[in-house]
Amino acid sequence: MKALVYTGIGQLALKDVPDPASDFVVKVLGCGICGTDLKTYQKGHHLFPPPAILGHEFYGLVEKAPEGCGYSIGDAVVVAPYAECGACDVCLRDAGSLCPHKHYVEDGAFCERVGISADYIERGVFPLKEKNDVYTLVEPLACVLNGVEQLNLKPASRALVVGAGPMGALFALLFSAKGIPVTIVEPAAPRRQRIASWGIDAREPGQVKKGAYDTVIIAVNRKELVGEYITLTADAGTVLMFSGLSKDEFVSVEAYSIHYRQVSLKGSFGYAMRHFGEALSLIDAHKETFSRIITHHFPLERGKEAFDLLASGDALKIVL
Ligand SMILES: [Zn+2]
Ligand SMILES: [Zn+2]
């Protein structure tokens, strides 16, 4: 089969690779390029040494299924890239996104077919009612829902999203779908205009009034923003570090805000399976709304071009 293979930093090549040998095989209809895929392509990643097939935000059609597994050839499905074990201490504390015993789908999905092991079908494969590229957004939305779970959202909450990249835009669409007033701050005018065209308040950094928002999502990986927005957040509010910073980075926050103003600093990483299920239901209910996140479609053959476009910042989500 054809696969887009990451062969080293800045390198992607279309190659012929062996078909998966599993009993359950999904023919990939679409796979979104994630921030992690882009980071791997640009800087390398310890979890994905080259050569590797990247891509985990995918859906497709069942092409091969064992007898009695509940699926037939041709069924549309979305596959969770991992599932927590559900039984360890971390899982029992409801923090499945951090489970140390996750079951991962072994191969990436920037290719024609992905093999799923038989013991993962029940846990990680979900039936879809139709073929639609919007289902590539289930995994990123699941990560957003894990972030939302860390917040202390109240009916009177006002949310501020810092950064209008694909994840920031997903947070903004989710808040507006839930009826929570939301503003997004973004320095790049084209990204601001895109968000504003959805009827969402989009502002330049510097136009945020202190105390106007109690729920602040940092969806840009710049550590200085954390301290800056802790100070701007309303009393008893929460700041969520959604974007990842590396292990050797430290953030500095104003102590007064944490103690005297009860502002909390939280983080979130990945999703647990309950978020994946909820994300799928939300996407089913708001297909058109969430489809706005997908700005480009590319065939696998033009994968490198798609990665370069995403790196330029001119696209939100690109589906291969
Ligand atoms: Zn992802
Ligand atoms: Zn676990």
Side-chain angles (χ1 to χ4, degrees):
M1 65 168 177
K2 279 185 296 182
L4 185 69
V5 182
Y6 159 66
T7 51
I9 293 176
Q11 293 168 34
L12 287 163
L14 196 72
K15 295 203 171 186
D16 257 311
V17 302
D19 269 306
S22 321
D23 289 334
F24 190 91
V25 174
V26 177
K27 179 180 158 52
V28 181
L29 290 179
C31 182
I33 308 178
C34 176
T36 309
D37 300 324
L38 182 62
K39 200 154 73 182
T40 306
Y41 169 67
Q42 290 178 316
K43 299 177 185 167
H45 198 298
H46 67 284
L47 289 179
F48 310 105
I53 302 172
L54 307 175
H56 55 269
E57 301 174 354
F58 74 106
Y59 80 109
L61 298 178
V62 176
E63 200 174 72
K64 190 177 161 197
E67 196 78 33
C69 76
Y71 291 96
S72 311
I73 309 302
D75 285 351
V77 292
V78 62
V79 181
Y82 68 77
E84 69 268 22
C85 79
C88 71
D89 283 358
V90 178
C91 286
L92 293 177
R93 285 192 282 115
D94 272 344
S97 70
L98 305 179
C99 171
H101 312 289
K102 285 174 188 160
H103 178 130
Y104 288 92
V105 173
E106 295 101 271
D107 291 313
F110 292 140
C111 60
E112 292 181 285
R113 291 175 194 88
V114 175
I116 308 291
S117 63
D119 60 345
Y120 191 67
I121 301 170
E122 207 177 317
R123 279 157 73 195
V125 181
F126 294 77
L128 299 176
K129 293 185 198 91
E130 57 169 305
K131 296 188 273 182
N132 188 327
D133 279 356
V134 75
Y135 292 114
T136 59
L137 298 174
V138 179
E139 189 267 350
L141 184 61
C143 296
V144 163
L145 290 171
N146 183 25
V148 169
E149 200 178 273
Q150 313 305 318
L151 301 168
N152 187 24
L153 276 178
K154 295 283 188 291
S157 283
R158 299 185 65 87
L160 180 74
V161 179
V162 182
M167 299 313 279
L170 259 184
F171 266 102
L173 285 178
L174 177 70
F175 287 134
S176 62
K178 283 178 173 281
I180 297 160
V182 59
T183 294
I184 200 158
V185 278
E186 164 63 49
R191 284 187 163 196
R192 256 193 336 265
Q193 282 151 10
R194 176 155 45 210
I195 300 288
S197 75
W198 301 343
I200 293 172
D201 181 29
R203 302 181 184 197
E204 281 181 66
Q207 293 184 332
V208 174
K209 248 181 61 206
K210 189 171 178 176
Y213 305 92
D214 62 290
T215 298
V216 178
I217 316 297
I218 311 280
V220 187
N221 53 0
R222 283 182 43 212
K223 62 179 178 189
E224 64 277 16
L225 294 177
V226 178
E228 192 179 311
Y229 281 94
I230 288 268
T231 306
L232 289 175
T233 299
D235 292 359
T238 306
V239 174
L240 177 73
M241 281 175 65
F242 183 78
S243 277
L245 295 173
S246 58
K247 216 173 173 180
D248 53 3
E249 295 189 89
F250 290 80
V251 295
S252 163
V253 300
E254 182 200 57
Y256 182 89
S257 289
I258 303 287
H259 181 78
Y260 291 102
R261 301 200 307 106
Q262 289 183 216
V263 174
S264 307
L265 177 59
K266 304 277 301 214
S268 77
F269 171 68
Y271 65 86
M273 288 314 286
R274 64 178 179 282
H275 305 120
F276 199 87
E278 190 188 342
L280 179 53
S281 311
L282 272 167
I283 285 179
D284 268 331
H286 304 276
K287 273 194 200 93
E288 273 165 37
T289 302
F290 289 115
S291 290
R292 293 166 177 163
I293 297 286
I294 302 171
T295 52
H296 297 78
H297 297 260
F298 278 81
L300 212 50
E301 291 77 4
R302 291 170 59 201
K304 189 174 178 343
E305 202 182 318
F307 270 73
D308 291 333
L309 173 67
L310 193 62
S312 75
D314 290 339
L316 278 181
K317 193 55 104 176
I318 303 179
V319 173
L320 295 187

